[in-house]
Structures are given as C-alpha cells and as structure tokens.
Amino acid sequence: MKTIHTLMLAFALCFAGCGGADAEPEPEAESTGGGEAETTVEVIPPEGEAGGGAEAEAPSTALATMSPTEGNEASGTVRFVQQEGGVLVSVELTGLEPGSRHGFHVHEHGDCSAPDGTSAGGHYDPAGADHALPAERPRHAGDMGNLEADDAGEVHAELEFDNFSVDRADPPPVVGRGVILHAEPDDGSQPTGAAGARIACGVIEAD
C-alpha cells in the first residue's frame, strides 16, 4: 500500500510540473500578437499621394463680357488667367471694321452703366504712373496696348502681362475693374493715348 501511495504522489508531481511547463508559452503568444498589431498600424498611405493633393490648386481666372456702347456693335469676351509669371489675356471680339486697330485698357471702375462707357472711369493706375504702351515701363497697370481686327472684323488674340494679377495683392489685381475697347489706336501719348471714344465695355468678374 505504501508503494502505491508513493507512486500516486510521484505521478501528481509530474503532472503538475508538465502543466506548469505548458502554461509558460502563453506570454510569448501575447507578445508575438502585439508585435503583429504594431506592424499593421504602421502601414500608412505614401507621403507623395497626400502631398500631391495638398499642392494641387486651380489657377485664378476672371472674365469680362464685352457689350457695345451706344451706337456701336463691338462685343465678345476678355478672359484673364493667372499663370506663374503673369496673366494670360485671351480676347474674342466681333463687330469691328475689318483691319481696324483699337486701344485696349483696364479701367478703374467695374461700371458699364453709362451709355458711352464713361462710368468705367480712367485707366487703372494704382501706382500713379504715366500712360505708355506695353513695351514701356513704368506705365498704367491697365495699359494693354492695341488690338487689330482681321478681315472679318474679329479679334482672336492672346496677350501676356506681368504688371497686374487676376486677384492677388501684388501686382495690382484687376477683378472688379472694367475693360474698355476704344474706337482708335492707342498711340502711347499722354495722358491716355488719344484712343478716342469707348465702343465696348465689360466688367472683370471672377470666373
């Protein structure tokens, strides 16, 4: 009987020891699982994708719809597009005499209510400079020179200017100002180039 009790005690001790050994790996499993979770959290979108979205920005644009003043027929559009080095001005006009040349300026007021266009005020000149043609500096911010109609009495032109902006603080912005097409060419003389009557007027509005 004593021998049987001794064997049973030995068996119990062995069972307890084996069970304790089996229980030890559990912390390792938790540690391994924790490492896998951390790896998953670190997977994020590439920086280039996020950065590209933040940097993308549409250029500022504005449009003046040109309407004829009393007794005239010139009409069309003048579009302003802000670019890195200045503003691209795209002109589409009809209703002019074939081959005619016309002074073309930004004026200080976005107001075409007067029948003769005089409500647009004088040339846009925030710096107080003298009038001049585009090849000269300094000049009025609104001095855009001349446009020439083709054989059909139309203008399809693209011009570039760096002395004004569409809507930035510097150089002077043109949004909210007026565009005037004159009856005669701008000869560059003082004070406004002797360009004559105003035959079309438009207000520059953000597009």
Side-chain angles (χ1 to χ4, degrees), residues 17-148:
C18 294
D22 291 340
E24 289 179 3
E26 291 182 3
E28 292 183 9
E30 291 177 1
S31 176
T32 302
E36 292 175 358
E38 292 175 4
T39 303
T40 302
V41 170
E42 290 174 0
V43 176
I44 58 175
E47 292 183 4
E49 293 180 7
E55 292 174 3
E57 184 178 352
S60 300
T61 62
L63 181 70
T65 300
M66 305 294 290
S67 298
T69 55
E70 190 171 53
N72 296 291
E73 299 180 0
S75 64
T77 60
V78 181
R79 183 177 296 278
F80 298 80
V81 179
Q82 186 71 55
Q83 298 183 320
E84 186 64 28
V87 177
L88 176 66
V89 180
S90 300
V91 185
E92 299 289 333
L93 297 173
T94 61
L96 300 168
E97 288 293 324
S100 58
R101 296 178 70 241
H102 305 269
F104 177 56
H105 311 112
V106 175
H107 283 240
E108 57 186 336
H109 304 311
D111 182 356
C112 295
S113 60
D116 59 0
T118 55
S119 52
H123 292 184
Y124 182 38
D125 180 29
D130 287 337
H131 173 72
L133 294 173
E136 301 178 33
R137 286 181 181 272
R139 67 179 190 275
H140 300 159
D143 290 344
M144 297 191 290
N146 292 291
L147 298 173
E148 184 169 352

